[in-house]
Amino acid sequence: MTYPWQVSQWEQLSEVFKSGRLPHALMLSGSAGTGKKQFSSQFANVVLCEQVFNKVDDQGLLTPCGECKNCKLILAEAHPDIRYYTFELNPKGVKSSVITIDQIRSLNEFVAKSSQQGGYKVAIIHPAEAMNINAANALLKSLEEPSQKTLIILVVDQPGRMLPTIRSRCQVLEFPMPNHSQSITWLKQALPKNTSLEELLDLAAGSPIKAAELAETDAISQKQTMITELAQVLKREASAVSVASKWQKYDIHTVLDWNLSWVQQLIRFSMTHDDVLVRDDRLLKMFQYLSGKHAASTFYDLLGKIQSYSDLLAKKSNPNPQILIENLLISWAELMQKSKS
Ligand SMILES: [Zn+2]
């Protein structure tokens, strides 16, 4: 199944494949949550399927048959000629945050050998920007001297972090986030009726796939609690320290994403004063008060701070979550004190 917002990328790649001009390296580039990983797995399956040209799906798109030996191995997650290179768990069960040179050395060995089933060998690296510099340099070897019938797919969530030397050796396909109406249309058929789709999509920063995942969790009630607690900090009914000790139990990325989305809404509101942009009444009250007190530029400082925290996490400097969240809440609270000069 191809997501409806990926049909043009799928058709483009299908044409290249049918004409026998498949490059040895593809880079699927775009924000997290657009479905690139599923696209890469599906395309790997197409490349290995023995009867792929006999069949199209109900959208008329090239699709794996699901019945040949290769497809059956893939369905059983046991195909020896597809390998995934992603974050590994250490012996304590903690997920690594980098893709290491050892992993890429193993990839290089895998693509250098002939395939076991006689077709392509497909290596998928996700997220490829997590390769450290040694790993990236090791990958260059396979990109520069590709072996026969090899396809390396780099799935990239943060294109700015990829080395230009890697990017220039790949055929790049861009994956923009689907627009709002595409996302809502898709969510309507993916989720039960009476689900608050708009709110989920907001929480998921516009990604319909993440929104569908959030629908399975208590994300909405968690967000409601966090808004209550943020309001308490602003009104000095609770301290940054006590609220931070509650928030640090949540996933830190989610906490930052939500705060980021609130500050973005605050900035938009302070520039437009359009109530419709803020769907939560309590946030609206906060934003009305704060935008009366400060110019939008002040809120950009807070935005920059949250982005720098996200960068710290991405670089794996393992910041202390309690302290990081405390600092974040203190910055919010400071907005109540200072005013426009
Ligand atoms: Zn097949």
Side-chain angles (χ1 to χ4, degrees):
M1 181 213 57
T2 307
Y3 291 117
W5 53 86
Q6 299 180 334
V7 166
S8 73
Q9 290 91 334
W10 188 261
E11 285 176 336
Q12 189 186 337
L13 210 48
S14 299
E15 283 310 312
V16 173
F17 178 54
K18 281 191 224 163
S19 66
R21 289 178 290 113
L22 198 60
H24 59 271
L26 286 171
M27 182 179 289
L28 313 187
S29 172
S31 305
T34 57
K36 302 184 298 299
K37 194 172 157 228
Q38 124 102 23
F39 186 102
S40 68
S41 302
Q42 172 88 347
F43 190 70
N45 193 345
V46 157
V47 167
L48 290 170
C49 173
E50 295 156 43
Q51 312 180 62
V52 71
F53 297 121
N54 302 342
K55 205 180 158 184
V56 288
D57 70 4
D58 49 17
Q59 299 179 86
L61 302 172
L62 206 60
T63 189
C65 75
E67 286 156 15
C68 69
K69 188 170 84 180
N70 280 328
C71 280
K72 282 186 177 153
L73 281 168
I74 290 168
L75 284 171
E77 296 182 11
H79 203 295
D81 299 325
I82 299 186
R83 297 245 178 115
Y84 288 89
Y85 300 85
T86 185
F87 298 135
E88 290 182 335
L89 294 180
N90 75 9
K92 286 181 187 161
V94 178
K95 208 191 243 185
S96 154
S97 54
V98 287
I99 292 174
T100 63
I101 186 166
D102 286 342
Q103 289 176 277
I104 299 302
R105 280 188 184 135
S106 135
L107 179 155
N108 287 345
E109 277 173 31
F110 164 65
V111 298
K113 287 185 202 150
S114 338
S115 69
Q116 295 195 29
Q117 299 292 329
Y120 264 86
K121 294 150 290 184
V122 185
I124 298 174
I125 312 174
H126 173 259
E129 70 271 22
M131 287 186 288
N132 61 25
I133 185 79
N134 294 334
N137 284 328
L139 180 68
L140 279 175
K141 183 176 170 287
S142 289
L143 296 180
E144 281 165 355
E145 301 156 23
S147 53
Q148 286 279 307
K149 285 198 162 184
T150 292
L151 177 63
I152 301 174
I153 306 179
L154 291 86
V155 179
V156 178
D157 295 338
Q158 293 174 279
R161 291 178 57 205
M162 283 312 300
L163 287 181
T165 44
I166 300 258
R167 188 182 174 92
S168 65
R169 285 169 175 81
C170 300
Q171 179 172 330
V172 180
L173 274 180
E174 300 289 346
F175 286 77
M177 196 63 89
N179 66 35
H180 185 264
S181 78
Q182 283 174 315
S183 299
I184 294 291
T185 307
W186 182 78
L187 284 169
K188 267 187 192 152
Q189 49 81 33
L191 296 178
K193 271 189 185 165
N194 303 321
T195 311
S196 36
L197 303 180
E198 297 280 354
E199 192 169 14
L200 281 170
L201 193 58
D202 251 10
L203 278 184
S207 159
I209 299 170
K210 277 194 203 160
E213 285 167 9
L214 285 173
E216 308 285 313
T217 69
D218 59 356
I220 288 191
S221 68
Q222 188 180 313
K223 186 193 81 164
Q224 295 301 340
T225 309
M226 282 178 62
I227 293 175
T228 306
E229 289 163 346
L230 176 63
Q232 288 169 344
V233 170
L234 293 186
K235 289 188 271 180
R236 295 182 157 206
E237 293 167 7
S239 71
V241 176
S242 67
V243 171
S245 74
K246 293 177 187 166
W247 287 12
Q248 58 116 355
K249 295 183 188 122
Y250 302 144
D251 173 59
I252 182 86
H253 297 277
T254 311
V255 170
L256 290 181
D257 284 351
W258 291 357
N259 276 273
L260 194 67
S261 126
W262 296 333
V263 179
Q264 285 165 339
Q265 288 179 54
L266 170 59
I267 290 172
R268 258 181 282 152
F269 179 79
S270 75
M271 296 196 290
T272 61
H273 292 276
D274 185 353
D275 294 6
V276 181
L277 295 174
V278 187
R279 266 184 287 275
D280 186 284
D281 285 344
R282 288 167 307 161
L283 285 177
L284 181 61
K285 274 190 194 138
M286 283 184 230
F287 295 172
Q288 282 166 336
Y289 181 81
L290 291 174
S291 63
K293 215 168 155 57
H294 299 282
S297 57
T298 309
F299 308 132
Y300 275 106
D301 294 343
L302 180 54
L303 186 77
K305 199 171 257 180
I306 300 174
Q307 280 162 340
S308 73
Y309 294 156
S310 298
D311 289 347
L312 273 181
L313 288 173
K315 285 183 197 134
K316 296 309 155 196
S317 20
N318 282 327
N320 178 324
Q322 169 78 27
I323 290 175
L324 189 149
I325 296 169
E326 259 175 58
N327 283 331
L328 170 66
L329 288 165
I330 288 167
S331 300
W332 274 107
E334 280 172 356
L335 294 177
M336 299 296 283
Q337 293 158 16
K338 293 184 227 153
S339 66
K340 298 187 216 205
S341 48

